[in-house]
Amino acid sequence: MGSVIAKARYFREGNPSDAPGGVGVLPPPVLHDRLRLYHVHMNPYGHRVLLILDAKRAPYEIMYLDPLKLPSWFVQKNPRHYLRLPVKIPVLETPTGHGDKFLYESVVICDYLDEKYARNPLHSSDPYVKAQDRLLIERFNELIKGSLECFDTNFAFGSEQILQTMEVFEKELATRGATYFSGNRPGMLDYMIWPWIERLYLLRCVNQKKFDEKRNMFPNFADWGDQMQLDDVVKKHASSPSEYFEYYKNARAHSMGYYL
Amino acid sequence: MGSVIAKARYFREGNPSDAPGGVGVLPPPVLHDRLRLYHVHMNPYGHRVLLILDAKRAPYEIMYLDPLKLPSWFVQKNPRHYLRLPVKIPVLETPTGHGDKFLYESVVICDYLDEKYARNPLHSSDPYVKAQDRLLIERFNELIKGSLECFDTNFAFGSEQILQTMEVFEKELATRGATYFSGNRPGMLDYMIWPWIERLYLLRCVNQKKFDEKRNMFPNFADWGDQMQLDDVVKKHASSPSEYFEYYKNARAHSMGYYL
């Protein structure tokens, strides 16, 4: 038991491949001065939250979990368990006086962080623009299945669903006439869609020429991607196209858990 | 054509059964001093927005639409059309300088209204409580299919899904220890779930005894329902159990469109 506690480095930003799992894993200590993200390595929804945590400069630590061997205390404490729903990851644990301290759903977590930490507001202060951005995030969420399908079916290029979504965002950038969806720096909408766009670059490893062809169809969106990659927050949590390619190749082999 | 324009009273709070539909219907005039809700009579998602419009005392008019005969201009202008998704109702049209003026998704519309109009804030000012409420609203949304199923299958009582959800909200009210989820007056969570709870009372028309039995299983939630019915905003948009009963009986007959 003691040795599990001693593995506390895994609870922070340790080696995600050593993620503790199963019934023998004890819960991490109570939080006081920081947030804790329960995260699955390479999970894009958790990636969203990591971007926002750093964009807001919130103090946090990461606890990596194996989605196929969730510790029982995690399931028990999980608000989705209480709500009689299957447990979801990522979960944000936050020190607060309000009893249950866990939030889930990446979009809700990220909006919470934006409201909780005043520094660097990520949503527009105009309620109408904020509502539009929320609808575009929802619109993007509908692509997500399509992109997984893309990774699943031998990394097929340019499924109709992906191209339609890219077109929507391409037009939207043109309409807004700015570098980022949020103006001259990345905001909530930019960060919410980024994890999946970063993963799309793995298609470079499959066929660079085809990748460039598709890329040229969406010049604004392509420029946006270039700019996003220069952002410090994005850089901190970036993986390379070849890392994603290897990961998804293996994920397809053992099929479950990677998009949990 | 002129006669269609002359039917302008239907665009306001006219007789919803005369809802204009089809290609011959001209768009209503441009807005200046009020919002416009495109609504389907008896639609619970539109009911949500009506409650919030009045809770916020926002100036608005209603345009009733027949979901099976949507005017082509409505489809063309609809942001979901631009997003290459099937059109959804309700839609809120709002006078603003930002080009496209339409919002959809009842939850997004209602959050927009809460931010836009300062009077009577409906969300908690504590970001954590607000996030919890958003998750509970999402949790309730998962019931909605279940309740439709309930109305569809001869108004079956107490499907497992409904009872589980009621239990979650019963416990939550007990934990919060207040009359309403939001404290001593109805807030966003209260209004977001109300349209479906109001409809559940139609089960009284099917079997009063069984209704009372189920009701007694959830004393806090039952008291909450009694209090909600005394709220002026709720009263303004209320229909009686027998009205709902008749409506859903007929909706089942022509099967489509009533939950659009």
Side-chain angles (χ1 to χ4, degrees), chain A residues 14 22 36 39 55 66 75-76 135 138-139 142 151 172 186 204 232 242:
Chain A
R36 180 182 290 135
H39 181 39
D66 179 339
V75 175
Q76 289 301 321
L135 294 173
E138 285 306 309
R139 175 63 184 85
E142 304 211 22
F151 297 152
E172 187 67 27
R204 272 194 171 142
D232 285 339
S242 59

Side-chain angles (χ1 to χ4, degrees), chain A:
Chain A
M1 291 289 212
S3 68
V4 176
I5 295 261
K7 279 186 183 171
R9 67 187 173 87
Y10 300 144
F11 299 160
R12 307 271 165 108
E13 303 195 32
N15 183 349
S17 63
D18 292 330
V23 287
V25 178
L26 293 184
V30 171
L31 290 170
H32 294 294
D33 57 349
R34 70 188 72 199
L35 304 161
R36 180 182 290 135
L37 180 66
Y38 295 91
H39 181 39
V40 171
H41 179 53
M42 295 296 247
N43 176 288
Y45 297 95
H47 191 173
R48 273 183 170 167
V49 181
L50 288 169
L51 294 172
I52 302 306
L53 283 164
D54 276 301
K56 302 296 290 185
R57 301 206 201 159
Y60 71 94
E61 64 182 43
I62 303 172
M63 179 164 186
Y64 289 103
L65 294 174
D66 179 339
L68 302 179
K69 289 186 288 179
L70 292 178
S72 51
W73 55 262
F74 179 77
V75 175
Q76 289 301 321
K77 279 180 145 180
N78 197 282
R80 300 229 342 148
H81 181 76
Y82 159 74
L83 294 175
R84 292 164 163 263
L85 296 169
V87 167
K88 269 191 182 177
I89 295 172
V91 165
L92 185 77
E93 185 174 4
T94 167
T96 160
H98 300 287
D100 201 354
K101 294 174 194 165
F102 296 84
L103 293 175
Y104 59 97
E105 291 289 357
S106 59
V107 170
V108 173
I109 293 172
C110 293
D111 284 351
Y112 162 75
L113 291 170
D114 196 35
E115 290 180 8
K116 175 81 177 175
Y117 297 92
R119 189 203 298 249
N120 188 21
L122 297 172
H123 267 303
S124 171
S125 59
D126 178 332
Y128 185 76
V129 176
K130 180 176 173 184
Q132 274 192 315
D133 286 357
R134 282 181 67 185
L135 294 173
L136 281 163
I137 291 167
E138 285 306 309
R139 175 63 184 85
F140 192 83
N141 287 344
E142 304 211 22
L143 165 67
I144 289 170
K145 278 181 209 158
S147 66
L148 284 171
E149 185 194 296
C150 151
F151 297 152
D152 273 352
T153 53
N154 295 312
F155 304 107
F157 267 92
S159 81
E160 193 52 29
Q161 210 187 345
I162 295 185
L163 293 180
Q164 279 193 2
T165 308
M166 301 287 270
E167 211 177 289
V168 166
F169 282 82
E170 172 72 13
K171 268 196 210 166
E172 187 67 27
L173 271 174
T175 305
R176 298 192 180 198
T179 307
Y180 303 100
F181 289 98
S182 299
N184 56 10
R185 58 182 182 81
M188 191 60 83
L189 175 54
D190 299 280
Y191 287 127
M192 287 300 97
I193 69 176
W194 179 251
W196 288 268
I197 304 303
E198 188 174 287
R199 281 156 179 76
L200 272 184
Y201 286 91
L202 72 79
L203 296 174
R204 272 194 171 142
C205 301
V206 184
N207 188 328
Q208 178 75 44
K209 190 164 159 268
K210 267 198 179 177
F211 178 85
D212 290 338
E213 269 171 36
K214 296 293 177 194
R215 195 179 182 287
N216 294 337
M217 292 169 63
F218 307 105
N220 288 300
F221 208 37
D223 288 348
W224 170 84
D226 292 344
Q227 290 301 312
M228 284 295 284
Q229 289 178 73
L230 302 175
D231 180 68
D232 285 339
V233 168
V234 165
K235 276 190 209 164
K236 179 170 174 188
H237 298 290
S239 301
S240 70
S242 59
E243 283 169 319
Y244 283 123
F245 183 63
E246 286 306 312
Y247 175 75
Y248 280 101
K249 252 190 352 196
N250 292 326
R252 284 155 71 219
H254 54 67
S255 85
M256 231 218 70
Y258 66 93
Y259 59 86
L260 206 144

Side-chain angles (χ1 to χ4, degrees), chain B residues 226-259:
Chain B
D226 291 344
Q227 290 301 311
M228 284 296 283
Q229 288 179 75
L230 301 176
D231 180 68
D232 285 339
V233 169
V234 165
K235 276 191 207 163
K236 179 170 173 189
H237 298 289
S239 299
S240 70
S242 60
E243 282 168 319
Y244 283 123
F245 184 61
E246 286 306 312
Y247 174 75
Y248 281 100
K249 251 190 353 196
N250 292 326
R252 284 155 71 216
H254 53 70
S255 83
M256 232 217 70
Y258 67 92
Y259 59 85

